[in-house]
């Protein structure tokens, strides 16, 4: 074995080890947060959230099979064609038929296996996520800004008060018009989203300034907030507790300050919280 080859092998082994150590470290940190365990974060979303995880797993298995085939071919090539005494290198053009066969196989594997199988298994999951906002959903407004999540509830009367762009400022991120009777009980919070358990929630997502991304891992919800647009997002939580809500778009220097939380509570607790907040306002 040549010196150079040995050095390269050592470096590769070292780097692979370092990479493995980094991945293991990240896992330990995640496990300590006691929120996601060793794999994906817990999933408290109904059907479509479960289907997303299924899609992820199918992709992972199929691409792992492909990766293993490629690594095996590479290992074969390296080991059986390594430099040996008395063995000379030779040139080969290869077999066109074999190469075409390989291309055909992988094309069918990727298109047929991944896209077709995924389509069959997951069906209209995208449609349900993006279009299927239930009529009876509880509406909550989320306004992203550098660097906070402003959240507005219609209050116990179920009606959002009027807003006016002119009234928007630091104190009043939504520009709520306090002269409107429906505005009196509107509740605004920052960075903490309260939602009732097992109730469809319709988020009207907006941004004041730049692109942000509304990301609640446990609910498998991730949607860009785009300035000038109101985007519909819907979700339903099947477990009470406090979970992470983050901005998944590098939106500026204070990006990490957009780490908030989602509090899922029983309908009764949610109603009590809402009434209390409305009274404070
Ligand atoms: Cu952001």
């Amino acid at each position: 074995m040549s010196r150079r080859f040995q050095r390269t092998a050592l470096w590769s082994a070292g780097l692979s080890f370092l990479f493995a150590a980094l991945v293991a470290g990240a896992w330990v940190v995640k496990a300590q947060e006691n929120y996601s365990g060793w794999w994906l974060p817990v999933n408290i979303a109904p059907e479509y959230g479960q289907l997303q995880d299924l899609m992820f797993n199918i992709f992972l298995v199929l691409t792992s099979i492909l990766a293993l085939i490629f690594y095996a071919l590479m290992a074969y090539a390296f080991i059986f064609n390594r430099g040996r005494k008395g063995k000379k290198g030779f040139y080969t053009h290869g077999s066109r038929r074999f190469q075409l066969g390989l291309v055909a196989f992988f094309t069918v594997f990727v298109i047929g296996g991944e896209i077709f199988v995924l389509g069959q298994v997951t069906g209209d999951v995208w449609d349900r996520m993006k279009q299927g906002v239930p009529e009876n959903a509880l509406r909550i407004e989320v306004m992203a800004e550098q660097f906070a999540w402003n959240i507005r509830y219609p209050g116990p009367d179920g009606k959002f008060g009027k807003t006016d762009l002119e009234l928007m400022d630091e104190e009043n991120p939504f520009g709520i018009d306090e002269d409107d009777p429906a505005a009196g009980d509107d509740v605004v919070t920052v960075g903490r989203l309260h939602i009732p358990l097992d109730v469809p929630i319709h988020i009207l997502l907006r941004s004041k300034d730049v692109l942000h991304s509304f990301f609640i891992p446990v609910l498998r919800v991730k949607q860009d907030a785009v300035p000038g647009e109101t985007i519909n997002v819907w979700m339903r939580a099947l477990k009470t507790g406090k979970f992470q809500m983050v901005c998944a778009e590098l939106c500026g220097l204070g990006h990490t300050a957009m780490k908030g939380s989602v509090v899922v509570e029983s309908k009764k607790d949610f109603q009590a919280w809402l009434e209390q907040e409305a009274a404070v306002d």
Side-chain angles (χ1 to χ4, degrees):
M1 231 188 274
S2 77
R3 265 280 151 79
R4 205 164 140 198
F5 181 77
Q6 272 176 335
R7 222 184 299 145
T8 314
L10 266 177
W11 267 106
S12 319
L15 284 176
S16 310
F17 181 76
L18 189 69
F19 181 69
L22 280 175
V23 172
W27 260 347
V28 170
V29 171
K30 267 180 79 172
Q32 275 175 348
E33 278 191 332
N34 197 17
Y35 135 96
S36 44
W38 295 88
W39 198 233
L40 292 175
V42 286
N43 191 334
I44 64 165
E47 352 34 90
Y48 71 76
Q50 306 297 334
L51 282 172
Q52 283 186 45
D53 285 10
L54 181 64
M55 271 167 95
F56 175 86
N57 288 329
I58 293 175
F59 250 121
L60 187 70
V61 168
L62 290 176
T63 39
S64 301
I65 293 173
L66 272 191
L68 285 177
I69 294 176
F70 284 128
Y71 286 134
L73 285 174
M74 244 157 60
Y76 171 83
F78 286 149
I79 293 166
F80 289 92
N81 298 306
R82 69 187 186 277
R84 269 175 295 187
K85 259 207 177 125
K87 199 185 172 206
K88 258 191 174 172
F90 64 94
Y91 173 79
T92 169
H93 189 70
S95 153
R96 180 167 292 178
R97 204 186 288 170
F98 179 68
Q99 283 169 359
L100 281 177
L102 264 190
V103 170
F105 169 74
F106 285 118
T107 307
V108 170
F109 188 90
V110 171
I111 293 180
E114 308 210 344
I115 300 174
F116 181 74
V117 171
L118 271 181
Q120 289 305 306
V121 174
T122 55
D124 57 352
V125 58
W126 181 257
D127 234 33
R128 268 194 275 169
M129 269 168 59
K130 296 292 172 187
Q131 313 288 346
V133 185
E135 294 265 312
N136 60 343
L138 170 68
R139 282 153 62 104
I140 299 174
E141 287 187 351
V142 173
M143 168 91 75
E145 74 170 301
Q146 288 172 316
F147 297 97
W149 295 108
N150 302 293
I151 301 157
R152 182 193 184 207
Y153 305 80
D157 71 350
K159 263 187 251 159
F160 284 116
K162 266 196 210 115
T163 55
D164 187 346
L165 284 180
E166 298 283 318
L167 295 172
M168 269 191 180
D169 58 28
E170 298 248 311
E171 296 286 293
N172 188 358
F174 287 93
I176 299 173
D177 180 355
E178 295 291 349
D179 292 337
D180 180 28
D185 68 342
D186 282 11
V187 169
V188 174
T189 60
V190 179
R192 183 183 280 221
L193 173 66
H194 279 252
I195 55 173
L197 180 71
D198 203 14
V199 169
I201 311 291
H202 178 181
I203 302 280
L204 296 114
L205 182 63
R206 289 188 286 162
S207 168
K208 250 188 186 176
D209 34 45
V210 298
L211 282 179
H212 298 271
S213 179
F214 180 64
F215 184 27
I216 305 174
V218 292
L219 283 166
R220 304 297 188 264
V221 163
K222 192 188 224 176
Q223 171 63 53
D224 275 10
V226 183
E229 275 191 58
T230 303
I231 298 175
N232 298 314
V233 178
W234 82 274
M235 59 211 195
R236 187 153 64 89
L238 299 181
K239 195 174 167 231
T240 55
K242 192 174 163 211
F243 306 98
Q244 268 186 357
M245 171 175 83
V246 293
C247 177
E249 187 91 55
L250 185 56
C251 54
L253 269 182
H255 165 65
T256 49
M258 294 184 76
K259 187 174 173 190
S261 53
V262 180
V263 178
V264 184
E265 49 202 357
S266 71
K267 274 181 228 174
K268 223 178 92 204
D269 288 353
F270 172 77
Q271 210 54 40
W273 171 82
L274 195 65
E275 267 157 36
Q276 190 195 334
E277 290 285 315
V280 172
D281 284 1

